[in-house]
């Protein structure tokens, strides 16, 4: 399954560049099969396409040297962070050089007074938050995986608290990148806002390594909230849960997280975590603010949920109790795996206007059942974004084909609702067929014109985002 | 004063296009001197450069027809909203066609459940808020002027409550634009977040009409807060006021507005509005939230301000009292005009990291005094953005020259502090010399490559943003 067409390889150029880089990088250039396989690998069902060599870069200057060598010989160059992307983003369909940035893992600067920091791309979000904790600061964006901040920037990632703190596009102030000719640019100053020319920061955020390689990121930070509270509530249907979400958003309640789990996922979690939640749709919430503020928020939510028909409302402000309340969500992934031993979970990622969220989730549940697929759903309900995790027996060709048809159907459903085929995972290889369906040939044509202008030889992560 | 170099004119093309458009638009195409003068005019001291004709467009199709005619004959085409831009954005240095979009003033759709709406570019922010009021919704971005939403999008505008609600980049979900070949594109779906390809929405926001002409905008909306409160506090120095602002930001207090007025502005307002405020730096604040929430916010602010050395703290939650508290800010413009009869106020627009705000404001005050200029300051302190309004006698060539030198000095000061020469007004013609100083030739070169790829004949608002 997947859309991993092979592209023509520039054998001579690749051999030349591997030779040049071997001289400069010695043991930091690797060509063994298993390391190459690992660097083509992502959390995906798309076939693995190996790069020809992996180089471990340690500085912007080294990245620039690598890109210059690749540019001189028209050889593909692909950034690699932690390999947690989901749509074949680090595959090498035309071979080339994988640049592993995991050793560029320094927090270069924290400006507590400005609530910002500057990091290298290999810093993971967990490492950054560990680094910041003593200063009472945190970086809010939290994709499920132990992702690197470079990768999160490149895919315009978000996670459970985007409803309050936005996505990477809202939290990157500026970045440094090595462009396809090896030149190093910085996209913006450190001012919190600017109207100085084209917004190259936002152009690079989400460009998936196809326009340049990100070598530094200046991020907005948040103060750790004085108080955090959590709440949980069950609902008779996805529709009623979604109505509650809309009421919360319209009320202006500044929820930090509002996550939906569908009935089959709650059932799986009950089995895995020995819980006894009602096996109906569940909303889990988190509130950030002052002591009084989070108490008021939780109370207001309880009132809105009850008005709409929620039951079993619980709220708490203590850490231990919060973890218990949220256990269902934290255990969701492992519960699905246990429910389906030997199967691989493939996550969809559509996002629709919130008013269509209930309809989309309900239709997805019905369609999966109709197609005899097990695909429990978690949703970042405040954004209209949800993931159906299709649990697939990869040995069962018919099931794999049905799963493929389901993904395709779901992407097109979201597009028909004026939504997107990807809320936070990116296009990569897997979603390329949907980009034109979503945005039209004219819009994608403008993207192609930008790509050609900036990377005329198509060396930066070729075969991603744009159709051939 | 100003940087309004004339560009070569394509006389034959212009004459041909005016003839073609006259046929299609009849009386909706105007060539009289005064209307052309008005359409080259902005709130600026940059010399007026008239377009050759003004066309009043009424639909996206008409805008496309106009752009196609201009494209066929390589004639400049310039969007015009309300003429409130500040840096010569609508000047026609190579002549051409001004497209007046003020008749495209329809709110096309309000999706209350999704907190979004779709508008034509000629809708002003006041008109939109009047339209939304009955539904309990509002659009938060508030530049000083009665601006159109098309113009606000094109300049990446913000205003007093960006500290809470962000700028236009954060509040445009998607937009429709006519590209330089006349094709109509839409940049994104209506989903609240997306990772689908390059962020063309953010590329168009702030592109000042140089990449395409915006014909529809999908905007995020907010619920009108349950309660609003206001506060005011005086400080012995800009430094102490700024320390308080930093404390507020680090505390995570979700202020909706936090505005600084410097001592000379307070003095002018005392004279104009018959107030008796201490003639020292003043902070004015507004809080949005629940009844209890805004009361708590105001109280917390009072505590932080007092700790830092603020005096005369006052707060209120009633509308009448709020207006009284904020009167000094509302009257600031007229107070400056009255203080300097016959002079023209020219606004600077630098934005620096908040930790450098006090230093930048204090240096600007000292430099103006040293240069014998009267330039009172208002600041969007929570963003690090401030405007020195230089009150200039335009008949006094020496004063005009000194003002020019001051602007230049201030832009360079901000850039040296890792800030920007424009927080919210845009580059236009006036700030073109500073773009490379701020971002470097490599970064501006990438902007130029994008411009050339999308608009190879340079017909869209030529002579703006990018250096020749």
């Amino acid at each position: 399954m997947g859309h991993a067409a092979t592209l023509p390889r520039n054998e001579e150029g690749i051999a030349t560049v591997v030779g040049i880089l071997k001289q400069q990088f010695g043991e930091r250039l690797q060509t063994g099969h298993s390391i190459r396989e690992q660097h083509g690998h992502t959390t995906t069902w798309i076939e693995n396409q190996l790069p020809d060599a992996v180089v471990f870069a340690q500085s912007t200057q080294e990245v620039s040297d690598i890109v210059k060598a690749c540019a001189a010989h028209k050889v593909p160059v692909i950034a690699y962070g932690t390999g947690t992307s989901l749509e074949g983003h680090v595959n090498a369909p035309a071979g080339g050089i994988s640049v592993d940035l995991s050793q560029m893992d320094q927090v270069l600067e924290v400006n507590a007074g400005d609530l910002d920091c500057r990091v290298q791309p290999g810093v993971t979000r967990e490492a950054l938050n560990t680094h910041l904790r003593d200063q009472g600061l945190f970086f809010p964006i939290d994709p499920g995986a132990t992702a690197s901040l470079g990768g999160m920037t490149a895919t315009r990632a978000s996670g459970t608290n985007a409803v309050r703190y936005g996505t990477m596009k809202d939290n990157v102030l500026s970045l440094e990148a090595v462009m396809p000719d090896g030149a190093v640019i910085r996209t913006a100053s450190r001012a919190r806002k600017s109207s100085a020319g084209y917004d190259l920061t936002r152009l690079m955020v989400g460009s998936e390594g196809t326009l340049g390689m990100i070598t530094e990121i200046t991020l907005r930070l948040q103060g750790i909230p004085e108080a955090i509270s959590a709440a949980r509530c069950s609902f008779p249907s996805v529709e009623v849960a979604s109505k509650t979400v809309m009421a919360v958003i319209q009320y202006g309640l500044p929820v930090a997280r509002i996550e939906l789990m569908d009935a089959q996922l709650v059932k799986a979690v009950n089995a895995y975590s020995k819980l006894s939640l009602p096996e109906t749709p569940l909303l889990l919430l988190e509130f950030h603010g002052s002591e009084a503020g989070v108490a008021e928020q939780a109370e207001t939510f309880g009132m809105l949920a009850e008005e709409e028909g929620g039951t079993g409302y619980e709220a708490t402000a203590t850490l231990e109790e919060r973890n218990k309340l949220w256990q269902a969500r934290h255990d969701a992934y492992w519960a699905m795996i246990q429910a389906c031993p030997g199967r691989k979970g493939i996550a969809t990622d559509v996002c629709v206007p919130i008013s269509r969220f209930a309809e989309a989730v309900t239709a997805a549940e019905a369609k999966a059942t109709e197609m005899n697929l097990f695909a429990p759903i978690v949703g970042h309900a405040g954004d209209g974004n949800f993931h159906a995790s299709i649990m697939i027996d990869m040995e069962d060709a018919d099931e794999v084909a049905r799963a493929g048809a389901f993904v395709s159907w779901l992407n097109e459903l979201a597009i028909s609702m004026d939504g997107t085929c990807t809320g936070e995972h990116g296009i990569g290889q897997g979603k390329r067929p949907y980009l034109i369906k979503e945005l039209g040939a004219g819009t994608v044509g403008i993207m192609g014109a930008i790509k050609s202008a900036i990377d005329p030889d198509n060396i930066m992560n070729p075969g991603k985002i744009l159709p051939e």
Side-chain angles (χ1 to χ4, degrees), chain A:
Chain A
M1 190 48 215
H3 308 271
T6 304
L7 299 176
R9 286 172 55 85
N10 167 9
E11 296 294 355
E12 199 184 321
I14 290 169
T16 306
V17 166
V18 171
I20 292 169
L21 296 178
K22 186 77 200 166
Q23 280 220 312
Q24 177 171 355
F25 290 91
E27 289 304 302
R28 286 198 281 126
L29 180 139
Q30 299 278 321
T31 53
H33 189 271
S34 72
I35 202 162
R36 293 191 293 121
E37 191 171 49
Q38 184 224 329
H39 282 77
H41 171 80
T42 52
T43 315
T44 183
W45 57 350
I46 296 170
E47 137 201 33
N48 195 335
Q49 297 174 312
L50 282 56
D52 292 279
V54 177
V55 186
F56 292 83
Q58 293 176 342
S59 68
T60 298
Q61 183 58 53
E62 286 188 354
V63 173
S64 173
D65 293 345
I66 296 163
V67 173
K68 275 184 184 154
C70 289
H73 300 278
K74 303 190 179 175
V75 166
V77 57
I78 304 160
Y80 183 93
T82 57
T84 51
S85 60
L86 292 143
E87 295 292 343
H89 290 83
V90 297
N91 256 345
I97 308 300
S98 172
V99 184
D100 186 310
L101 298 162
S102 62
Q103 295 177 17
M104 289 178 68
D105 62 354
Q106 297 302 302
V107 178
L108 300 169
E109 186 176 59
V110 177
N111 303 296
D114 295 311
L115 293 185
D116 69 38
C117 70
R118 191 160 52 90
V119 303
Q120 289 188 309
V123 176
T124 64
R125 62 181 187 87
E126 287 91 342
L128 177 60
N129 280 326
T130 301
H131 186 99
L132 294 171
R133 196 168 298 144
D134 288 350
Q135 296 179 69
L137 300 172
F138 80 111
F139 181 69
I141 312 301
D142 67 332
T146 310
S148 68
L149 290 157
M152 287 165 62
T153 303
T155 51
R156 204 183 296 132
S158 49
T160 62
N161 48 28
V163 62
R164 166 89 176 240
Y165 298 103
T167 75
M168 288 304 283
K169 90 173 161 53
D170 306 299
N171 290 282
V172 175
L173 269 180
S174 171
L175 56 84
E176 178 192 87
V178 172
M179 301 308 284
D181 61 356
V184 179
I185 69 159
R186 196 170 159 222
T187 55
S189 76
R190 203 160 60 78
R192 284 183 94 71
K193 67 182 197 186
S194 169
S195 286
Y198 304 155
D199 192 344
L200 296 188
T201 309
R202 250 51 61 180
L203 182 65
M204 296 301 293
V205 172
S207 64
E208 302 185 8
T210 64
L211 298 177
M213 199 168 288
I214 296 164
T215 47
E216 276 185 19
I217 312 140
T218 302
L219 296 166
R220 292 180 67 150
L221 302 174
Q222 303 285 332
I224 293 176
E226 179 193 325
I228 299 179
S229 70
R232 185 170 72 187
C233 192
S234 292
F235 293 87
S237 66
V238 167
E239 202 188 337
V240 176
S242 300
K243 273 192 179 164
T244 305
V245 173
M246 284 177 69
V248 164
I249 299 294
Q250 285 189 275
Y251 190 91
L253 205 64
V255 288
R257 296 187 157 107
I258 182 163
E259 295 281 295
L260 172 81
M261 295 174 62
D262 78 348
Q264 52 196 337
L265 187 53
V266 173
K267 194 174 170 185
V269 169
N270 272 347
Y272 176 81
S273 311
K274 317 270 179 279
L275 299 175
S276 52
L277 292 163
E279 292 181 352
T280 63
L282 183 73
L283 285 182
L284 289 154
L285 293 96
E286 199 172 274
F287 309 100
H288 295 177
S290 66
E291 298 273 359
V294 297
E296 188 189 26
Q297 286 182 53
E299 193 186 333
T300 305
F301 170 73
M303 186 194 74
L304 294 171
E306 198 164 285
E307 265 175 24
E308 297 292 345
T311 54
Y313 167 75
E314 289 181 78
T316 180
T318 73
L319 177 63
E320 198 189 345
E321 291 293 316
R322 272 200 281 130
N323 285 338
K324 261 199 206 162
L325 267 191
W326 270 74
Q327 189 187 356
R329 179 71 179 86
H330 297 142
D331 291 349
Y333 176 76
W334 294 110
M336 286 188 281
I337 298 291
Q338 182 185 273
C340 310
R343 283 166 184 254
K344 191 173 170 76
I346 292 299
T348 64
D349 178 39
V350 300
C351 184
V352 296
I354 300 171
S355 59
R356 309 298 295 272
F357 184 69
E359 192 185 344
V361 172
T362 306
E365 286 180 318
K367 187 73 177 180
T369 304
E370 176 198 319
M371 296 179 85
N372 193 26
L373 293 166
F374 180 61
I377 288 173
V378 289
H380 308 315
D383 304 317
N385 183 205
F386 68 92
H387 309 293
S389 296
I390 320 166
M391 303 307 295
I392 311 171
D393 176 356
M394 296 302 286
E395 306 299 306
D396 180 342
D398 186 67
E399 186 164 282
V400 171
R402 279 182 282 124
F406 174 79
V407 171
S408 182
W409 170 88
L410 183 57
N411 290 341
E412 291 182 10
L413 178 76
I415 291 167
S416 77
M417 291 176 168
D418 208 354
T420 176
C421 65
T422 175
E424 55 186 12
H425 293 171
I427 295 291
Q429 293 179 311
K431 295 215 166 121
R432 287 162 77 217
Y434 304 98
L435 193 62
I436 286 183
K437 288 182 185 175
E438 181 172 323
L439 298 173
T443 303
V444 177
I446 298 289
M447 293 183 191
I450 292 168
K451 166 72 171 172
S452 300
I454 294 179
D455 181 22
D457 293 322
N458 193 22
I459 64 165
M460 305 301 293
N461 206 7
K464 315 300 162 61
I465 300 184
L466 296 164
E468 292 313 298

